[in-house]
């Protein structure tokens, strides 16, 4: 995913309780990849590279948060 290895650690006393949150985390990463994968012509990154010099390009809030120089990850 995302052109690299993705590892998620979850801590708890019951593995069954951790399954859903870990799966949700991997789904969120897959969603980010679908939004921002530069090699896909319809991704937001590709659209920005192609179109932003001519018009405004709307992006997902996650994309904006990563690219915004005044971002706050806390």
């Amino acid at each position: 995913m995302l052109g690299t290895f993705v590892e998620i650690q979850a801590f708890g006393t019951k593995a069954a309780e951790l399954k859903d949150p870990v799966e949700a985390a991997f789904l969120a990463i897959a969603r980010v990849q679908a939004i921002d994968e530069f090699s896909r012509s319809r991704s937001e990154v590709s659209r920005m590279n192609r179109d932003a010099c001519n018009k405004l390009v709307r992006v997902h809030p996650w994309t904006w948060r990563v690219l915004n120089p005044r971002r706050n990850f806390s």
Side-chain angles (χ1 to χ4, degrees):
M1 299 178 102
L2 303 174
T4 189
F5 293 101
V6 175
E7 181 178 307
I8 296 173
Q9 289 184 331
F11 301 94
T13 57
K14 297 180 181 175
E17 293 176 357
L18 301 175
K19 183 180 179 218
D20 288 344
V22 169
E23 286 181 5
F26 276 111
L27 287 172
I29 293 168
R31 185 173 180 199
V32 168
Q33 179 170 310
I35 291 170
D36 294 333
E37 187 176 20
F38 71 90
S39 64
R40 289 182 52 238
S41 64
R42 296 186 64 185
S43 75
E44 290 189 349
V45 171
S46 292
R47 286 189 305 107
M48 286 186 295
N49 285 335
R50 181 181 58 244
D51 301 335
C53 64
N54 298 317
K55 62 183 179 182
L56 292 177
V57 177
R58 290 191 183 274
V59 296
H60 190 279
W62 291 355
T63 303
W64 176 247
R65 190 169 179 198
V66 169
L67 297 177
N68 183 354
R70 291 175 283 222
R71 67 185 170 267
N72 180 359
F73 289 109
S74 58

